[in-house]
Amino acid sequence: MEEGTLKSPTHCAVTGDDYDVLQWDTREDCEVRQILDRIADKWSLLVIALLDRGSLRFTELRREIDGVSQRMLTVTLRQLERDGLVERTVHAVVPPRVDYALTPLGRTLHETVRSLVAWTETHQREIATARASYDARVG
């Protein structure tokens, strides 16, 4: 298998065992950047966190995620399903019922999300202090 290069349209720079700044390729067509853009958006993170508790119906997700529109939740779920992180199950009942759940791959991602949330909780006061300091300087 050929390794990706900076000139490759769908692969980022070659990354080995050592941290390489080139893995953070900023090109729009870089697969790693596209995946990070998807999983790091605010709606995806919330959906992944909620589905870690178990499967939920669309209406339950929408009720739990304050501020998300029906359209945005639909788009987010479709993209997460396309990436193999969420599975959609349609039940043949009237009215139709659709459940969403994390796939095994999605559950592995939730471990990382949980670490990010833990970091945020640990440092939220420092960030609040930095924001207040910045706002006082700039405002």
Side-chain angles (χ1 to χ4, degrees):
M1 184 167 125
E2 184 178 318
E3 296 186 52
T5 67
L6 287 176
K7 296 190 189 282
S8 171
T10 59
H11 293 84
C12 295
V14 176
T15 55
D17 292 334
D18 294 333
Y19 174 80
D20 185 342
V21 74
L22 295 179
Q23 68 182 317
W24 293 98
D25 193 333
T26 57
R27 292 174 307 126
E28 191 171 353
D29 61 350
C30 171
E31 279 186 67
V32 172
R33 177 181 165 192
Q34 291 172 3
I35 294 166
L36 286 171
D37 286 349
R38 164 72 40 247
I39 62 176
D41 76 52
K42 66 181 177 179
W43 305 124
S44 293
L45 287 174
L46 291 169
V47 166
I48 291 164
L50 286 169
L51 291 178
D52 187 58
R53 301 178 196 162
S55 69
L56 292 170
R57 296 173 73 172
F58 182 91
T59 54
E60 294 170 318
L61 281 166
R62 184 150 182 232
R63 194 175 320 125
E64 290 288 326
I65 302 174
D66 191 34
V68 70
S69 68
Q70 180 173 338
R71 182 188 182 299
M72 196 66 241
L73 182 56
T74 298
V75 168
T76 299
L77 287 165
R78 282 183 185 156
Q79 292 170 336
L80 291 171
E81 183 181 8
R82 180 176 182 253
D83 289 342
L85 302 173
V86 167
E87 65 183 352
R88 178 179 186 262
T89 304
V90 179
H91 301 276
V93 295
V94 177
R97 186 176 125 213
V98 179
D99 291 324
Y100 294 90
L102 289 180
T103 62
L105 180 62
R107 283 193 294 279
T108 65
L109 176 60
H110 188 261
E111 293 301 317
T112 301
V113 171
R114 197 176 297 155
S115 296
L116 179 61
V117 170
W119 180 91
T120 304
E121 289 171 346
T122 300
H123 298 286
Q124 66 184 339
R125 285 192 180 109
E126 294 168 74
I127 292 169
T129 300
R131 287 176 175 175
S133 175
Y134 176 87
D135 292 347
R137 266 193 339 268
V138 174

